[in-house]
Amino acid sequence: MATWQMLMLQDSASPLMEQLNFFHDHALLILVIITVLVGQLMSILFFNKFKHRYLLEGQMIEIIWTILPAITLIFIALPSLRLIYVLDEVNNPSLSIKTIGHQWYWSYEYSDFKNIEFDSYMIPPNELQPYQFRLLDVDNRVIIPYEAQIRMLDTSADVIHSWTIPSFGVKIDATPGRLNQIGFSTNRTGLFFGQCSEICGANHSFMPIVIESISPNYFIKWISKTEI
């Protein structure tokens, strides 16, 4: 989860977020190289004698400053396109969960099981326990098994919401009348926090998301207890 004075991205908890972190570092390295190069060229101008101030054209330098940016864009575009394809891919999910955005809470349905559906409200500050997080914890968490492919189906009952878990690299719009989907998996157990990322009304800031990733054995036990 995000903490005070955090400047970088959250630690990844899914293969998708790991790839996003790698692409972030890759693009940042290219930007640093460009910044250093442009800064060096600008500093040279202060010591330039302007010997070629009457030069009207330079075919070679024009070819160079056209080809180099094109090559740079290719090095950014290729991994970006690959990453977009991976983010949109949903293959053979082990578990499907439907989430419905409301003003201002989330509803969840485990489509693969009977009678497993619940609403998830933010816990009011006056009801928080010492181990819970203010404005982030909910009364009913979404339980998923780790290292399993999850398909999240997303829609809304009223206005546009956005279901977001930063440490998973997941952000999907919940649009009224439409059903969006996204796939993800977690590579470790733990609690993962998110919030609605689309301004949806007065209480937009008070509809958090909490994912609890547990082992498959404990998940089966939770399913057995919940279905009863």
Side-chain angles (χ1 to χ4, degrees):
M1 63 176 290
T3 57
W4 293 108
Q5 298 181 350
M6 177 178 284
L7 298 178
M8 300 298 291
L9 301 173
Q10 294 186 25
D11 292 338
S12 62
S14 72
L16 292 178
M17 191 59 188
E18 287 181 358
Q19 294 299 317
L20 287 170
N21 280 336
F22 292 151
F23 178 72
H24 169 268
D25 296 341
H26 171 76
L28 190 62
L29 178 61
I30 293 176
L31 289 175
V32 169
I33 293 173
I34 294 173
T35 303
V36 172
L37 177 61
V38 172
Q40 183 180 9
L41 293 176
M42 292 178 65
S43 63
I44 291 175
L45 292 177
F46 289 103
F47 306 100
N48 198 319
K49 302 300 183 181
F50 299 106
K51 295 179 180 178
H52 306 290
R53 61 183 181 276
Y54 298 115
L55 184 66
L56 298 179
E57 63 176 351
Q59 296 292 337
M60 182 58 66
I61 190 64
E62 290 178 4
I63 292 174
I64 292 174
W65 71 40
T66 301
I67 292 178
L68 284 182
I71 294 175
T72 303
L73 290 176
I74 290 174
F75 274 98
I76 295 176
L78 291 180
S80 176
L81 293 173
R82 172 182 170 274
L83 190 55
I84 290 174
Y85 178 79
V86 171
L87 289 173
D88 287 340
E89 192 174 10
V90 181
N91 285 331
N92 301 322
S94 304
L95 178 67
S96 295
I97 303 174
K98 182 180 179 181
T99 175
I100 305 172
H102 303 266
Q103 291 181 314
W104 287 271
Y105 64 96
W106 297 96
S107 296
Y108 296 97
E109 300 175 9
Y110 286 72
S111 307
D112 301 320
F113 307 96
K114 294 181 180 179
N115 303 323
I116 301 183
E117 54 184 67
F118 53 85
D119 297 331
S120 181
Y121 288 87
M122 185 192 75
I123 300 176
N126 59 341
E127 298 179 10
L128 285 173
Q129 301 297 323
Y131 55 85
Q132 293 176 325
F133 294 99
R134 177 179 174 271
L135 303 182
L136 283 178
D137 258 305
V138 295
D139 52 359
N140 292 309
R141 298 168 177 168
V142 181
I143 310 296
I144 62 172
Y146 80 100
E147 294 185 343
Q149 186 67 27
I150 310 297
R151 177 175 63 175
M152 185 65 68
L153 302 171
D154 213 13
T155 188
S156 172
D158 35 53
V159 299
I160 298 177
H161 302 276
S162 186
W163 196 86
T164 308
I165 302 290
S167 57
F168 290 174
V170 171
K171 183 178 184 293
I172 180 172
D173 287 339
T175 307
R178 291 191 58 183
L179 194 64
N180 295 331
Q181 72 170 2
I182 196 167
F184 63 90
S185 64
T186 60
N187 50 25
R188 57 189 170 94
T189 60
L191 291 177
F192 306 99
F193 297 88
Q195 290 177 303
C196 177
S197 297
E198 186 76 32
I199 297 177
C200 56
N203 291 334
H204 156 71
S205 302
F206 306 111
M207 49 184 303
I209 305 159
V210 181
I211 301 289
E212 185 173 352
S213 176
I214 59 178
S215 71
N217 292 333
Y218 283 110
F219 177 76
I220 294 173
K221 292 180 181 178
W222 177 80
I223 289 293
S224 301
K225 292 180 180 178
T226 309
E227 278 191 311
I228 296 175

